[in-house]
PDB file of all heavy atoms in Angstrom:
ATOM      1  N   ALA F   1      94.144 146.361 103.464  1.00 96.00           N
ATOM      2  CA  ALA F   1      94.247 147.427 102.468  1.00 96.00           C
ATOM      3  C   ALA F   1      95.368 148.360 102.901  1.00 96.00           C
ATOM      4  O   ALA F   1      95.392 148.821 104.051  1.00 96.00           O
ATOM      5  CB  ALA F   1      92.935 148.196 102.351  1.00 96.00           C
ATOM      6  N   GLN F   2      96.293 148.625 101.999  1.00 93.00           N
ATOM      7  CA  GLN F   2      97.443 149.452 102.314  1.00 93.00           C
ATOM      8  C   GLN F   2      97.170 150.907 101.942  1.00 93.00           C
ATOM      9  O   GLN F   2      96.416 151.195 101.011  1.00 93.00           O
ATOM     10  CB  GLN F   2      98.671 148.935 101.562  1.00 93.00           C
ATOM     11  CG  GLN F   2      99.014 147.494 101.901  1.00 93.00           C
ATOM     12  CD  GLN F   2     100.083 146.903 101.000  1.00 93.00           C
ATOM     13  OE1 GLN F   2     100.624 147.591 100.134  1.00 93.00           O
ATOM     14  NE2 GLN F   2     100.382 145.624 101.188  1.00 93.00           N
ATOM     15  N   ARG F   3      97.788 151.803 102.655  1.00 92.00           N
ATOM     16  CA  ARG F   3      97.576 153.225 102.411  1.00 92.00           C
ATOM     17  C   ARG F   3      98.018 153.608 100.990  1.00 92.00           C
ATOM     18  O   ARG F   3      99.085 153.238 100.532  1.00 92.00           O
ATOM     19  CB  ARG F   3      98.358 154.057 103.428  1.00 92.00           C
ATOM     20  CG  ARG F   3      98.103 155.555 103.328  1.00 92.00           C
ATOM     21  CD  ARG F   3      98.867 156.301 104.408  1.00 92.00           C
ATOM     22  NE  ARG F   3      98.469 155.852 105.735  1.00 92.00           N
ATOM     23  CZ  ARG F   3      97.386 156.280 106.379  1.00 92.00           C
ATOM     24  NH1 ARG F   3      96.573 157.146 105.796  1.00 92.00           N
ATOM     25  NH2 ARG F   3      97.104 155.830 107.584  1.00 92.00           N
ATOM     26  N   GLY F   4      97.144 154.347 100.288  1.00 92.00           N
ATOM     27  CA  GLY F   4      97.500 154.891  98.982  1.00 92.00           C
ATOM     28  C   GLY F   4      97.385 153.929  97.817  1.00 92.00           C
ATOM     29  O   GLY F   4      97.821 154.247  96.714  1.00 92.00           O
ATOM     30  N   GLU F   5      96.768 152.760  98.018  1.00 95.00           N
ATOM     31  CA  GLU F   5      96.661 151.799  96.919  1.00 95.00           C
ATOM     32  C   GLU F   5      95.226 151.721  96.399  1.00 95.00           C
ATOM     33  O   GLU F   5      94.274 152.183  97.039  1.00 95.00           O
ATOM     34  CB  GLU F   5      97.100 150.403  97.376  1.00 95.00           C
ATOM     35  CG  GLU F   5      96.122 149.699  98.295  1.00 95.00           C
ATOM     36  CD  GLU F   5      96.499 148.241  98.568  1.00 95.00           C
ATOM     37  OE1 GLU F   5      97.399 147.729  97.886  1.00 95.00           O
ATOM     38  OE2 GLU F   5      95.886 147.635  99.463  1.00 95.00           O
ATOM     39  N   ILE F   6      95.097 151.118  95.217  1.00 96.00           N
ATOM     40  CA  ILE F   6      93.792 150.737  94.690  1.00 96.00           C
ATOM     41  C   ILE F   6      93.695 149.225  94.830  1.00 96.00           C
ATOM     42  O   ILE F   6      94.411 148.484  94.169  1.00 96.00           O
ATOM     43  CB  ILE F   6      93.621 151.158  93.227  1.00 96.00           C
ATOM     44  CG1 ILE F   6      93.746 152.676  93.081  1.00 96.00           C
ATOM     45  CG2 ILE F   6      92.254 150.705  92.694  1.00 96.00           C
ATOM     46  CD1 ILE F   6      93.594 153.179  91.661  1.00 96.00           C
ATOM     47  N   LEU F   7      92.816 148.790  95.723  1.00 97.00           N
ATOM     48  CA  LEU F   7      92.650 147.371  96.015  1.00 97.00           C
ATOM     49  C   LEU F   7      91.362 146.893  95.355  1.00 97.00           C
ATOM     50  O   LEU F   7      90.286 147.443  95.602  1.00 97.00           O
ATOM     51  CB  LEU F   7      92.587 147.143  97.525  1.00 97.00           C
ATOM     52  CG  LEU F   7      92.409 145.695  98.000  1.00 97.00           C
ATOM     53  CD1 LEU F   7      93.600 144.836  97.580  1.00 97.00           C
ATOM     54  CD2 LEU F   7      92.224 145.648  99.516  1.00 97.00           C
ATOM     55  N   GLY F   8      91.474 145.890  94.507  1.00 97.00           N
ATOM     56  CA  GLY F   8      90.324 145.358  93.798  1.00 97.00           C
ATOM     57  C   GLY F   8      89.719 144.168  94.517  1.00 97.00           C
ATOM     58  O   GLY F   8      90.419 143.196  94.815  1.00 97.00           O
ATOM     59  N   LEU F   9      88.449 144.256  94.817  1.00 96.00           N
ATOM     60  CA  LEU F   9      87.688 143.139  95.384  1.00 96.00           C
ATOM     61  C   LEU F   9      87.052 142.419  94.198  1.00 96.00           C
ATOM     62  O   LEU F   9      86.092 142.914  93.596  1.00 96.00           O
ATOM     63  CB  LEU F   9      86.637 143.672  96.355  1.00 96.00           C
ATOM     64  CG  LEU F   9      85.886 142.685  97.233  1.00 96.00           C
ATOM     65  CD1 LEU F   9      86.847 141.908  98.123  1.00 96.00           C
ATOM     66  CD2 LEU F   9      84.857 143.419  98.064  1.00 96.00           C
ATOM     67  N   ILE F  10      87.597 141.265  93.845  1.00 94.00           N
ATOM     68  CA  ILE F  10      87.318 140.631  92.563  1.00 94.00           C
ATOM     69  C   ILE F  10      86.515 139.359  92.764  1.00 94.00           C
ATOM     70  O   ILE F  10      86.813 138.548  93.641  1.00 94.00           O
ATOM     71  CB  ILE F  10      88.633 140.290  91.825  1.00 94.00           C
ATOM     72  CG1 ILE F  10      89.550 141.513  91.770  1.00 94.00           C
ATOM     73  CG2 ILE F  10      88.342 139.759  90.436  1.00 94.00           C
ATOM     74  CD1 ILE F  10      88.937 142.728  91.142  1.00 94.00           C
ATOM     75  N   GLY F  11      85.511 139.175  91.912  1.00 90.00           N
ATOM     76  CA  GLY F  11      84.740 137.940  91.969  1.00 90.00           C
ATOM     77  C   GLY F  11      83.485 138.059  91.138  1.00 90.00           C
ATOM     78  O   GLY F  11      83.045 139.164  90.803  1.00 90.00           O
ATOM     79  N   PRO F  12      82.874 136.943  90.789  1.00 86.00           N
ATOM     80  CA  PRO F  12      81.651 136.968  89.983  1.00 86.00           C
ATOM     81  C   PRO F  12      80.471 137.467  90.805  1.00 86.00           C
ATOM     82  O   PRO F  12      80.553 137.621  92.026  1.00 86.00           O
ATOM     83  CB  PRO F  12      81.474 135.499  89.591  1.00 86.00           C
ATOM     84  CG  PRO F  12      82.108 134.740  90.719  1.00 86.00           C
ATOM     85  CD  PRO F  12      83.273 135.571  91.155  1.00 86.00           C
ATOM     86  N   ASN F  13      79.364 137.722  90.132  1.00 84.00           N
ATOM     87  CA  ASN F  13      78.142 138.054  90.845  1.00 84.00           C
ATOM     88  C   ASN F  13      77.789 136.932  91.810  1.00 84.00           C
ATOM     89  O   ASN F  13      77.865 135.755  91.460  1.00 84.00           O
ATOM     90  CB  ASN F  13      76.999 138.276  89.857  1.00 84.00           C
ATOM     91  CG  ASN F  13      77.201 139.522  89.020  1.00 84.00           C
ATOM     92  OD1 ASN F  13      77.827 140.487  89.459  1.00 84.00           O
ATOM     93  ND2 ASN F  13      76.676 139.515  87.801  1.00 84.00           N
ATOM     94  N   GLY F  14      77.432 137.304  93.042  1.00 83.00           N
ATOM     95  CA  GLY F  14      77.113 136.305  94.055  1.00 83.00           C
ATOM     96  C   GLY F  14      78.292 135.854  94.878  1.00 83.00           C
ATOM     97  O   GLY F  14      78.143 134.985  95.753  1.00 83.00           O
ATOM     98  N   ALA F  15      79.466 136.431  94.630  1.00 88.00           N
ATOM     99  CA  ALA F  15      80.661 136.018  95.384  1.00 88.00           C
ATOM    100  C   ALA F  15      80.680 136.574  96.800  1.00 88.00           C
ATOM    101  O   ALA F  15      81.461 136.118  97.632  1.00 88.00           O
ATOM    102  CB  ALA F  15      81.929 136.442  94.642  1.00 88.00           C
ATOM    103  N   GLY F  16      79.857 137.595  97.078  1.00 91.00           N
ATOM    104  CA  GLY F  16      79.829 138.196  98.411  1.00 91.00           C
ATOM    105  C   GLY F  16      80.448 139.574  98.479  1.00 91.00           C
ATOM    106  O   GLY F  16      80.597 140.129  99.574  1.00 91.00           O
ATOM    107  N   LYS F  17      80.768 140.164  97.335  1.00 94.00           N
ATOM    108  CA  LYS F  17      81.458 141.460  97.327  1.00 94.00           C
ATOM    109  C   LYS F  17      80.601 142.562  97.948  1.00 94.00           C
ATOM    110  O   LYS F  17      81.066 143.310  98.812  1.00 94.00           O
ATOM    111  CB  LYS F  17      81.846 141.842  95.889  1.00 94.00           C
ATOM    112  CG  LYS F  17      82.710 140.818  95.170  1.00 94.00           C
ATOM    113  CD  LYS F  17      83.222 141.331  93.843  1.00 94.00           C
ATOM    114  CE  LYS F  17      82.115 141.725  92.871  1.00 94.00           C
ATOM    115  NZ  LYS F  17      81.262 140.569  92.484  1.00 94.00           N
ATOM    116  N   THR F  18      79.355 142.675  97.502  1.00 94.00           N
ATOM    117  CA  THR F  18      78.486 143.735  98.017  1.00 94.00           C
ATOM    118  C   THR F  18      78.189 143.529  99.495  1.00 94.00           C
ATOM    119  O   THR F  18      78.203 144.485 100.285  1.00 94.00           O
ATOM    120  CB  THR F  18      77.179 143.788  97.211  1.00 94.00           C
ATOM    121  OG1 THR F  18      77.475 144.115  95.850  1.00 94.00           O
ATOM    122  CG2 THR F  18      76.224 144.826  97.788  1.00 94.00           C
ATOM    123  N   THR F  19      77.947 142.291  99.897  1.00 95.00           N
ATOM    124  CA  THR F  19      77.707 142.001 101.315  1.00 95.00           C
ATOM    125  C   THR F  19      78.902 142.440 102.157  1.00 95.00           C
ATOM    126  O   THR F  19      78.741 143.038 103.225  1.00 95.00           O
ATOM    127  CB  THR F  19      77.440 140.500 101.522  1.00 95.00           C
ATOM    128  OG1 THR F  19      76.279 140.122 100.781  1.00 95.00           O
ATOM    129  CG2 THR F  19      77.230 140.179 102.991  1.00 95.00           C
ATOM    130  N   LEU F  20      80.104 142.178 101.675  1.00 96.00           N
ATOM    131  CA  LEU F  20      81.302 142.563 102.415  1.00 96.00           C
ATOM    132  C   LEU F  20      81.414 144.079 102.527  1.00 96.00           C
ATOM    133  O   LEU F  20      81.703 144.604 103.617  1.00 96.00           O
ATOM    134  CB  LEU F  20      82.546 141.991 101.730  1.00 96.00           C
ATOM    135  CG  LEU F  20      83.891 142.335 102.361  1.00 96.00           C
ATOM    136  CD1 LEU F  20      83.934 141.916 103.825  1.00 96.00           C
ATOM    137  CD2 LEU F  20      85.025 141.689 101.577  1.00 96.00           C
ATOM    138  N   LEU F  21      81.166 144.800 101.451  1.00 96.00           N
ATOM    139  CA  LEU F  21      81.245 146.253 101.505  1.00 96.00           C
ATOM    140  C   LEU F  21      80.190 146.825 102.452  1.00 96.00           C
ATOM    141  O   LEU F  21      80.453 147.796 103.170  1.00 96.00           O
ATOM    142  CB  LEU F  21      81.069 146.844 100.102  1.00 96.00           C
ATOM    143  CG  LEU F  21      82.205 146.585  99.114  1.00 96.00           C
ATOM    144  CD1 LEU F  21      81.906 147.254  97.779  1.00 96.00           C
ATOM    145  CD2 LEU F  21      83.543 147.067  99.659  1.00 96.00           C
ATOM    146  N   GLU F  22      79.010 146.238 102.459  1.00 96.00           N
ATOM    147  CA  GLU F  22      77.965 146.714 103.366  1.00 96.00           C
ATOM    148  C   GLU F  22      78.330 146.462 104.819  1.00 96.00           C
ATOM    149  O   GLU F  22      78.028 147.267 105.700  1.00 96.00           O
ATOM    150  CB  GLU F  22      76.635 146.048 103.020  1.00 96.00           C
ATOM    151  CG  GLU F  22      76.056 146.524 101.691  1.00 96.00           C
ATOM    152  CD  GLU F  22      74.754 145.842 101.339  1.00 96.00           C
ATOM    153  OE1 GLU F  22      74.422 144.817 101.983  1.00 96.00           O
ATOM    154  OE2 GLU F  22      74.067 146.320 100.416  1.00 96.00           O
ATOM    155  N   ILE F  23      79.002 145.356 105.089  1.00 96.00           N
ATOM    156  CA  ILE F  23      79.461 145.076 106.454  1.00 96.00           C
ATOM    157  C   ILE F  23      80.563 146.053 106.847  1.00 96.00           C
ATOM    158  O   ILE F  23      80.553 146.620 107.950  1.00 96.00           O
ATOM    159  CB  ILE F  23      79.941 143.620 106.575  1.00 96.00           C
ATOM    160  CG1 ILE F  23      78.739 142.668 106.542  1.00 96.00           C
ATOM    161  CG2 ILE F  23      80.740 143.416 107.856  1.00 96.00           C
ATOM    162  CD1 ILE F  23      79.120 141.201 106.502  1.00 96.00           C
ATOM    163  N   LEU F  24      81.528 146.268 105.949  1.00 97.00           N
ATOM    164  CA  LEU F  24      82.620 147.181 106.269  1.00 97.00           C
ATOM    165  C   LEU F  24      82.110 148.590 106.528  1.00 97.00           C
ATOM    166  O   LEU F  24      82.608 149.283 107.419  1.00 97.00           O
ATOM    167  CB  LEU F  24      83.642 147.190 105.126  1.00 97.00           C
ATOM    168  CG  LEU F  24      84.400 145.892 104.881  1.00 97.00           C
ATOM    169  CD1 LEU F  24      85.389 146.067 103.735  1.00 97.00           C
ATOM    170  CD2 LEU F  24      85.120 145.437 106.138  1.00 97.00           C
ATOM    171  N   SER F  25      81.121 149.021 105.775  1.00 95.00           N
ATOM    172  CA  SER F  25      80.600 150.381 105.936  1.00 95.00           C
ATOM    173  C   SER F  25      79.686 150.525 107.143  1.00 95.00           C
ATOM    174  O   SER F  25      79.331 151.646 107.523  1.00 95.00           O
ATOM    175  CB  SER F  25      79.845 150.803 104.673  1.00 95.00           C
ATOM    176  OG  SER F  25      78.697 150.006 104.478  1.00 95.00           O
ATOM    177  N   GLY F  26      79.271 149.410 107.722  1.00 94.00           N
ATOM    178  CA  GLY F  26      78.395 149.456 108.879  1.00 94.00           C
ATOM    179  C   GLY F  26      76.922 149.363 108.561  1.00 94.00           C
ATOM    180  O   GLY F  26      76.080 149.450 109.457  1.00 94.00           O
ATOM    181  N   LEU F  27      76.583 149.143 107.282  1.00 94.00           N
ATOM    182  CA  LEU F  27      75.175 149.025 106.901  1.00 94.00           C
ATOM    183  C   LEU F  27      74.586 147.674 107.269  1.00 94.00           C
ATOM    184  O   LEU F  27      73.371 147.547 107.442  1.00 94.00           O
ATOM    185  CB  LEU F  27      75.027 149.248 105.388  1.00 94.00           C
ATOM    186  CG  LEU F  27      75.344 150.651 104.875  1.00 94.00           C
ATOM    187  CD1 LEU F  27      75.251 150.680 103.358  1.00 94.00           C
ATOM    188  CD2 LEU F  27      74.405 151.672 105.496  1.00 94.00           C
ATOM    189  N   LEU F  28      75.437 146.668 107.379  1.00 94.00           N
ATOM    190  CA  LEU F  28      74.994 145.304 107.653  1.00 94.00           C
ATOM    191  C   LEU F  28      75.883 144.723 108.747  1.00 94.00           C
ATOM    192  O   LEU F  28      77.110 144.853 108.672  1.00 94.00           O
ATOM    193  CB  LEU F  28      75.105 144.465 106.369  1.00 94.00           C
ATOM    194  CG  LEU F  28      74.526 143.057 106.370  1.00 94.00           C
ATOM    195  CD1 LEU F  28      72.999 143.118 106.428  1.00 94.00           C
ATOM    196  CD2 LEU F  28      74.962 142.318 105.098  1.00 94.00           C
ATOM    197  N   PRO F  29      75.314 144.079 109.754  1.00 95.00           N
ATOM    198  CA  PRO F  29      76.151 143.499 110.802  1.00 95.00           C
ATOM    199  C   PRO F  29      76.805 142.194 110.348  1.00 95.00           C
ATOM    200  O   PRO F  29      76.227 141.443 109.553  1.00 95.00           O
ATOM    201  CB  PRO F  29      75.167 143.245 111.943  1.00 95.00           C
ATOM    202  CG  PRO F  29      73.855 143.023 111.252  1.00 95.00           C
ATOM    203  CD  PRO F  29      73.869 143.919 110.046  1.00 95.00           C
ATOM    204  N   ALA F  30      77.987 141.945 110.836  1.00 95.00           N
ATOM    205  CA  ALA F  30      78.638 140.656 110.620  1.00 95.00           C
ATOM    206  C   ALA F  30      78.241 139.697 111.738  1.00 95.00           C
ATOM    207  O   ALA F  30      77.945 140.117 112.855  1.00 95.00           O
ATOM    208  CB  ALA F  30      80.154 140.828 110.596  1.00 95.00           C
ATOM    209  N   ASP F  31      78.228 138.412 111.441  1.00 95.00           N
ATOM    210  CA  ASP F  31      77.987 137.423 112.484  1.00 95.00           C
ATOM    211  C   ASP F  31      79.221 137.241 113.364  1.00 95.00           C
ATOM    212  O   ASP F  31      79.107 136.921 114.549  1.00 95.00           O
ATOM    213  CB  ASP F  31      77.599 136.083 111.852  1.00 95.00           C
ATOM    214  CG  ASP F  31      76.253 136.146 111.152  1.00 95.00           C
ATOM    215  OD1 ASP F  31      75.394 136.947 111.576  1.00 95.00           O
ATOM    216  OD2 ASP F  31      76.061 135.403 110.171  1.00 95.00           O
ATOM    217  N   SER F  32      80.378 137.444 112.764  1.00 96.00           N
ATOM    218  CA  SER F  32      81.625 137.337 113.524  1.00 96.00           C
ATOM    219  C   SER F  32      82.717 138.083 112.767  1.00 96.00           C
ATOM    220  O   SER F  32      82.556 138.445 111.606  1.00 96.00           O
ATOM    221  CB  SER F  32      82.023 135.865 113.701  1.00 96.00           C
ATOM    222  OG  SER F  32      82.246 135.241 112.447  1.00 96.00           O
ATOM    223  N   GLY F  33      83.835 138.300 113.442  1.00 96.00           N
ATOM    224  CA  GLY F  33      84.960 138.978 112.821  1.00 96.00           C
ATOM    225  C   GLY F  33      85.110 140.403 113.312  1.00 96.00           C
ATOM    226  O   GLY F  33      84.307 140.906 114.111  1.00 96.00           O
TER     227      GLY F  33
END
């Protein structure tokens, strides 16, 4: 994600978008990465 941009995380329901946001925010642990 670049400074000052609007980055769209795009995909259908079930694509993993919410899981990814929860991992990035620290609400959910990642298995790796």
